[in-house]
Amino acid sequence: MTAATRSYEVADIARQLGVSPTDLPAQICELIRTSHLEHRPIEGRERDALILRVIRELEKPLEVAGEHRLPRWEMGWGENLDAFIASGYDFAALVPKFVRPGEPVRIQGEYIQPISTGFDVDYIRILVTWLYARYFDQTSEIHEFGCGTSQNLIPAAQLYPGRPLFGYDWAKPSQGIIDLLAEHRGINIKGQVFDMFRPDPSVKLAPGAGVITIGSLEQLGTKIDPFLDFLIERRPAVVANMDSFNELYDPEHLPDALALRYDRKRGYLEGWVSKLRALEAKGVIEFLDQRRGYGNIFHEGHGYVVWRVV
Ligand SMILES: C[S@@+](CC[C@H](N)C(=O)[O-])C[C@H]1O[C@@H](n2cnc3c(N)ncnc32)[C@H](O)[C@@H]1O
């Protein structure tokens, strides 16, 4: 390690999660210790060059989220399905191909350069496992909407073996992966085609169920009401949404100002937290947690809000 290179320890991660190190359960501490979290800061001219790269990207005609993108997701998850089979059902084959190992990332509003290519996958695994450990302990079952390859349901299966898991996605290869996870990895998981633009009214949640979304709300843009109404009506015990939330950025902070422009240009999620705040003011829901902090060079795709219907 060079002088500027360091790793995140348990105390660093606790600070980033806004809790005391003693709040972190043993599994999370162990996960932190075995993760590849070595990195160095990106400063000065290197930071300028990175910001210039983001600005140049913003000047390009970027693909916009929306209903027309279904074939792209089907193709992507189809590749992961093939790779999962070819690997002999190795969880590592569930990492999406769009994850670019070794790329700079942003954390707590600053850019850093990971040293290990495993940094991004490991850091996100810590965040997701933390959400499950902190908020899903008492849930009867866990439902992820927009689950993709289900890579982020694996930590739930490991923390709570045998607890019923449900993965929903509009892309069919997602259900193919889920069937294989149940058959070859012994996970108690079921999959179903589900379009968050048009929630299926026949989908029910058991009393005490927990709901998680990770990176899927982003794709809804401003068309969020049908899915939000669907969730409220089902009264889950807890909901955790992990995404880039425009309300949580500081428009006066350069990396945040660029993230706001990036999300707007790509037609990503807008208004989710504002709607939740309005529901909180009416006494319909209550927030349990709100946190931002981790993402790629363009935006913080792994901020989170945790809430429940009152
Ligand atoms: C960025 S990926 C995240 C996948 C997964 N949650 C994860 O963390 O690896 C977004 C996911 O949302 C799904 N998605 C996008 N729009 C959707 C919709 N209208 N209904 C259901 N799923 C959707 C995509 O197919 C994709 O699997």
Side-chain angles (χ1 to χ4, degrees), residues 66-67 69-70 72-74 77 94-96 98 124 128 144-153 168-172 174 193-198 212-220 227 242-243 268 302:
E67 308 200 27
R69 292 201 73 217
L70 174 58
R72 291 290 289 270
W73 291 112
E74 299 226 308
W77 300 153
L94 301 180
V95 175
F98 58 70
I124 292 170
V128 171
E144 182 182 0
F145 290 88
C147 64
T149 65
S150 291
Q151 59 164 346
N152 284 320
L153 280 167
Y168 307 84
D169 204 285
W170 65 350
K172 290 189 193 66
S174 167
V193 174
F194 185 94
D195 182 355
M196 295 160 81
F197 286 120
R198 294 171 203 79
I212 191 160
T213 64
I214 303 173
S216 55
L217 293 181
E218 157 192 289
Q219 299 292 317
L220 301 181
F227 184 62
M242 185 173 262
D243 240 299
Y268 281 168
H302 292 83

Side-chain angles (χ1 to χ4, degrees), residues 6-9 12-13 16 32 37 39 107 112 119 123:
R6 60 177 300 255
S7 190
Y8 290 132
E9 311 293 340
D12 300 305
I13 300 287
Q16 290 162 13
I32 294 168
L37 301 176
H39 64 278
I107 196 155
I112 59 164
F119 185 102
Y123 193 89

Side-chain angles (χ1 to χ4, degrees), residues 53-54 57 100 106 255 258-260 262 296-300:
R53 184 179 151 199
V54 174
E57 192 72 15
R100 286 189 272 174
R106 51 191 290 152
L258 292 171
L260 282 166
Y262 179 76
N296 61 24
I297 63 171
F298 299 114
H299 71 170
E300 264 175 34

Side-chain angles (χ1 to χ4, degrees), residues 32-43:
I32 294 168
R33 288 193 196 100
T34 54
S35 291
H36 299 93
L37 301 176
E38 300 78 25
H39 64 278
R40 62 173 177 78
I42 294 180
E43 294 163 330

Side-chain angles (χ1 to χ4, degrees), residues 52-303:
L52 194 54
R53 184 179 151 199
V54 174
I55 292 171
R56 289 196 172 125
E57 192 72 15
L58 282 169
E59 286 167 351
K60 291 184 195 161
L62 300 179
E63 194 174 352
V64 174
E67 308 200 27
H68 62 283
R69 292 201 73 217
L70 174 58
R72 291 290 289 270
W73 291 112
E74 299 226 308
M75 194 181 77
W77 300 153
E79 285 173 16
N80 281 96
L81 172 59
D82 294 344
F84 189 47
I85 296 168
S87 71
Y89 315 107
D90 183 351
F91 292 151
L94 301 180
V95 175
K97 308 276 182 208
F98 58 70
V99 171
R100 286 189 272 174
E103 275 281 288
V105 296
R106 51 191 290 152
I107 196 155
Q108 307 290 302
E110 299 302 332
Y111 303 110
I112 59 164
Q113 177 61 57
I115 305 299
S116 158
T117 52
F119 185 102
D120 187 58
V121 167
D122 284 2
Y123 193 89
I124 292 170
R125 183 147 307 138
I126 292 168
L127 289 180
V128 171
T129 308
W130 162 248
L131 285 181
Y132 286 132
R134 175 81 161 195
Y135 296 107
F136 287 70
D137 187 34
Q138 300 299 316
T139 54
S140 57
E141 47 185 41
I142 298 174
H143 300 251
E144 182 182 0
F145 290 88
C147 64
T149 65
S150 291
Q151 59 164 346
N152 284 320
L153 280 167
I154 307 296
Q158 290 167 336
L159 263 185
Y160 306 121
R163 188 166 305 180
L165 305 179
F166 297 84
Y168 307 84
D169 204 285
W170 65 350
K172 290 189 193 66
S174 167
Q175 287 82 54
I177 293 172
I178 286 177
D179 290 346
L180 296 173
L181 282 170
E183 191 183 334
H184 294 279
R185 299 302 306 253
I187 296 179
N188 184 7
I189 186 168
K190 291 197 179 80
Q192 188 173 324
V193 174
F194 185 94
D195 182 355
M196 295 160 81
F197 286 120
R198 294 171 203 79
D200 178 348
S202 73
V203 170
K204 305 276 185 264
L205 310 185
V211 167
I212 191 160
T213 64
I214 303 173
S216 55
L217 293 181
E218 157 192 289
Q219 299 292 317
L220 301 181
T222 55
K223 296 181 186 163
I224 53 184
D225 288 338
F227 184 62
L228 182 54
D229 293 346
F230 166 88
L231 284 184
I232 302 279
E233 274 167 26
R234 270 143 192 83
R235 306 184 63 82
V238 63
V239 180
N241 305 123
M242 185 173 262
D243 240 299
S244 170
F245 300 106
N246 55 314
E247 298 89 341
L248 303 189
Y249 288 117
D250 172 4
E252 301 307 318
H253 179 59
L254 181 57
D256 285 9
L258 292 171
L260 282 166
R261 283 165 177 73
Y262 179 76
D263 280 358
R264 204 172 307 129
K265 182 148 184 176
R266 295 216 59 181
Y268 281 168
L269 180 68
E270 205 181 313
W272 186 261
V273 172
S274 306
K275 296 222 167 181
L276 289 179
R277 284 179 182 156
L279 288 168
E280 185 190 37
K282 283 191 208 156
V284 177
I285 69 135
E286 71 172 343
F287 282 101
L288 305 176
D289 203 353
Q290 295 183 45
R291 198 87 204 146
R292 37 167 305 195
Y294 187 72
N296 61 24
I297 63 171
F298 299 114
H299 71 170
E300 264 175 34
H302 292 83

